[in-house]
Amino acid sequence: MDSCKNRERVIKEWVTKDKLRFYKKLFFPIIAICFVVSLFSDLAFAAPPLLIRQNQNDKTAQISPEASLFIQVANKESGNDLGTGAMDFVQSMANRAIGFLSDNNLTIEQKKKSFRTLLQDSFDLKTLGRFSLGRYWRVSTPEQRKEYQTLFEKMVIEVYSQRFTEYKGQKFVARSYRNDSPTDTLVTSFIIPDNGPEVQVDWRIRYKDGHYKVVDIIVEGVSMSVTQRSDFSSVIQRGGGDVQVLLTHLQAL
Amino acid sequence: MKKNFLIACMAVFLCVAVAGCAGNRNMAVQDAEEDIYDPMENMNRTVFNLNDSLDRAIADPLARGYRAITPEFVRNGVRNFLRNLRSPVNLANQVLQGDIEGAAGDVTRFAMNTTIGIGGLFDVAADTGLEYEYEDFGQTLGVWGVDHGPYLVLPVMGPSSLRDSTGLLVDTVADPVRIYLYNTHNEEWYYARSGATALDKREELLDVIDDLRKNSFDYYAAIRSAYMQKRAALVKDDNPDILTGASIPDYDDE
């Protein structure tokens, strides 16, 4: 009698244990199925617009490197030398910078001074500033705009000259370009250190009034202008939407 | 127990992620310029500040010390070794993204670097033109068309989003190296590897973070923007034909 009860208990225990194990086994597949279903529903909704967007935006994305090289050559032959001009512009600007940055006879102050001239020559500081203020440009007064542009230019020159004077003998190669709009060319370049990975830098070069000017620098996919605009608009937004708050920050530099 | 906990976390995250995506799809972008969705900004800023002080106190000095005392070839060796250990995760994600060329590249890289590169210490494959590509499940979800959902700052781990933290969990749970180390009761090696990865990553980012800290008024917003842009670029696999940044208007009209 006693052993029978014991047996019953053992069986009961075994059954519950097995049930648990069974549920445990079921747990993961159920999650997996939920996940797959949700993904498919997501794909069904999100994929078609995505595909359309891709087709509209990057006509060159489907083309192999060899083919795009051929297109570049073809463009060049058909007289479209805006892109090559922009690439040469980037390379010569870099060479000019490397020229005085690697000159050991110059003091840091002299280097910074040459850099300032270079920046004023080759950067479209007005466009950079206007873009970085984003939507707050429209709500600012003409006096604020004027003051902002002056302070912004001062800041950019300071920031970039300090960034670039940290030059440690890296090589600079402009490798390719692609036209993004009738005026804009994106030049892809690489900064190559003696040791370690290359850094990809894309330059948005605008051809206007017979001059090439830099309007954006994209380092490894991160646009300096977009980051700057995020920073500025957050400062203004948190200051209650007042452009003056940003101007105070800029004055304090 | 630990495994069950991880799986439970994953389940919760997936449910929330799916709900989040479903809700987000129909939501109008609040600002045409700034399409970063950050509904939990206050909480994120608190965590961000905490992370920042932790970073200044611990991670930043450690990374600086690491850079100071080790020669470059040692650091490269460590990085290559850690990257080689990540091969299974990278490979799985390449396959899931349908990037067959990338997957083949990962297999070749692993074979080359593990043998000729002596267990992954030397990245000989990169010299042949097969560059390392970092893939994670967050990117895979991105390729599949899943949106970021809300931006999140994770404690200690830093900037992320609902999509990317889901990806992080999936990668962690599915990582064969982790499963092997846990099942053979070598958890301490897993922790050592995680620590080394964090140190290597922080050392790699030293200059970038210094620059952002110094040259931004709102460090939080600058990091958030840079993170979102970098993730978008990674989802597109840094394809130079797509990396264009924002289009910048011609302002001459005014």
Side-chain angles (χ1 to χ4, degrees):
Chain A
M1 195 62 201
D2 199 47
S3 75
C4 189
K5 229 181 180 177
N6 203 27
R7 236 181 85 193
E8 226 170 61
R9 213 195 56 200
V10 169
I11 288 172
K12 216 174 166 186
E13 216 168 63
W14 183 78
V15 168
T16 44
K17 236 185 189 173
D18 203 54
K19 254 189 189 167
L20 244 169
R21 209 178 291 159
F22 177 70
Y23 284 133
K24 260 191 184 169
K25 264 189 193 165
L26 218 62
F27 185 62
F28 198 72
I30 285 176
I31 291 181
I33 289 166
C34 287
F35 184 50
V36 169
V37 167
S38 69
L39 279 174
F40 270 104
S41 64
D42 246 319
L43 275 180
F45 284 109
L50 196 84
L51 288 178
I52 295 163
R53 223 183 300 146
Q54 260 185 355
N55 284 345
Q56 282 173 342
N57 275 357
D58 24 277
K59 283 166 193 137
T60 50
Q62 306 300 324
I63 299 169
S64 67
E66 295 88 322
S68 63
L69 196 77
F70 183 75
I71 288 169
Q72 282 177 17
V73 172
N75 278 346
K76 226 189 278 180
E77 281 171 353
S78 67
N80 178 5
D81 49 12
L82 200 67
T84 29
M87 199 158 96
D88 293 343
F89 165 75
V90 169
Q91 187 66 57
S92 67
M93 182 177 61
N95 289 346
R96 200 175 132 195
I98 289 172
F100 60 74
L101 288 177
S102 55
D103 187 347
N104 292 326
N105 298 325
L106 297 174
T107 64
I108 288 194
E109 267 320 301
Q110 282 170 313
K111 282 181 188 177
K112 275 196 174 173
K113 206 180 153 211
S114 323
F115 203 83
R116 262 175 221 135
T117 349
L118 178 66
L119 271 176
Q120 273 155 343
D121 290 352
S122 36
F123 278 57
D124 188 349
L125 292 168
K126 287 257 174 320
T127 301
L128 279 172
R130 174 83 199 263
F131 180 83
S132 299
L133 197 55
R135 65 200 151 111
Y136 292 105
W137 179 269
R138 268 177 278 124
V139 296
S140 53
T141 64
E143 294 82 52
Q144 281 177 328
R145 287 179 189 176
K146 212 175 159 199
E147 191 188 359
Y148 165 77
Q149 286 290 27
T150 322
L151 290 168
F152 178 81
E153 282 181 24
K154 220 179 97 193
M155 184 204 83
V156 165
I157 288 169
E158 201 41 54
V159 166
Y160 277 94
S161 61
Q162 162 234 314
R163 262 179 202 156
F164 283 84
T165 37
E166 285 161 10
Y167 177 75
K168 294 183 212 84
Q170 295 94 328
K171 286 189 192 72
F172 181 96
V173 189
R175 274 198 197 142
S176 61
Y177 69 85
R178 58 202 179 279
N179 296 334
D180 194 57
S181 76
T183 51
D184 287 12
T185 309
L186 278 146
V187 177
T188 300
S189 69
F190 289 87
I191 295 170
I192 310 162
D194 288 338
N195 205 343
E198 300 178 350
V199 178
Q200 183 181 337
V201 182
D202 290 57
W203 307 74
R204 183 177 283 273
I205 306 297
R206 179 163 296 170
Y207 187 74
K208 212 165 114 182
D209 307 329
H211 294 287
Y212 289 105
K213 296 269 181 184
V214 178
V215 289
D216 193 11
I217 305 177
I218 303 148
V219 182
E220 294 274 323
V222 179
S223 149
M224 298 293 108
S225 295
V226 172
T227 312
Q228 189 74 267
R229 187 180 64 185
S230 277
D231 183 15
F232 283 4
S233 52
S234 182
V235 166
I236 298 172
Q237 207 183 333
R238 288 172 72 76
D242 189 358
V243 181
Q244 203 56 47
V245 180
L246 176 69
L247 293 180
T248 320
H249 271 95
L250 284 166
Q251 282 156 358
L253 283 180
Chain B
M1 188 57 215
K2 232 172 222 162
K3 206 174 163 190
N4 282 350
F5 175 71
L6 273 175
I7 290 174
C9 281
M10 192 174 127
V12 170
F13 255 94
L14 285 177
C15 294
V16 179
V18 169
C21 300
N24 208 23
R25 196 180 299 127
N26 300 323
M27 202 180 300
V29 179
Q30 282 153 338
D31 178 1
E33 281 169 12
E34 204 62 56
D35 49 1
I36 299 175
Y37 180 52
D38 190 0
M40 290 176 281
E41 185 168 342
N42 286 335
M43 194 189 80
N44 279 341
R45 276 190 191 266
T46 314
V47 179
F48 185 83
N49 289 339
L50 194 81
N51 283 351
D52 191 41
S53 19
L54 275 177
D55 182 70
R56 281 171 207 265
I58 302 165
D60 187 87
L62 274 179
R64 240 169 262 282
Y66 174 56
R67 182 179 275 188
I69 59 172
T70 52
E72 183 133 26
F73 76 92
V74 172
R75 292 200 300 275
N76 285 339
V78 169
R79 179 165 302 165
N80 294 337
F81 182 74
L82 291 168
R83 282 178 170 182
N84 202 46
L85 277 183
R86 221 192 122 80
S87 298
V89 176
N90 284 334
L91 175 63
N93 280 303
Q94 295 274 30
V95 172
L96 289 172
Q97 290 169 23
D99 187 349
I100 302 307
E101 207 180 315
D106 275 354
V107 174
T108 318
R109 277 182 55 84
F110 184 72
M112 255 191 214
N113 288 348
T114 310
T115 53
I116 307 169
I118 317 176
L121 287 174
F122 299 94
D123 193 352
V124 283
D127 300 334
T128 69
L130 272 174
E131 293 287 339
Y132 176 76
E133 265 183 47
Y134 174 82
E135 301 291 345
D136 57 42
F137 196 67
Q139 292 176 47
T140 303
L141 289 173
V143 170
W144 290 350
V146 180
D147 272 337
H148 266 292
Y151 175 74
L152 285 177
V153 181
L154 302 178
V156 185
M157 310 287 293
S160 187
S161 69
L162 193 53
R163 183 191 83 193
D164 290 341
S165 39
T166 308
L168 183 70
L169 255 165
V170 173
D171 283 332
T172 312
V173 173
D175 182 6
V177 177
R178 185 196 71 87
I179 293 170
Y180 172 78
L181 289 174
Y182 268 58
N183 286 350
T184 53
H185 298 288
N186 286 313
E187 284 98 336
E188 64 274 14
W189 284 103
Y190 177 69
Y191 299 135
R193 178 211 180 188
S194 307
T197 310
L199 187 64
D200 170 60
K201 193 84 208 152
R202 188 62 187 83
E203 192 271 336
E204 192 185 354
L205 291 173
L206 264 178
D207 300 321
V208 178
I209 290 183
D210 281 352
D211 189 275
L212 279 175
R213 258 188 195 146
K214 200 160 48 179
N215 296 323
S216 63
F217 297 129
D218 189 345
Y219 180 44
Y220 172 85
I223 289 271
R224 183 177 60 186
S225 172
Y227 175 78
M228 285 310 211
Q229 291 181 59
K230 185 68 203 170
R231 291 301 295 181
L234 278 173
V235 168
K236 293 168 187 164
D237 273 346
D238 287 309
N239 185 340
D241 287 326
I242 305 170
L243 273 192
T244 54
S247 65
I248 293 179
D250 193 342
Y251 294 114
D252 242 13
D253 47 331
E254 280 182 44

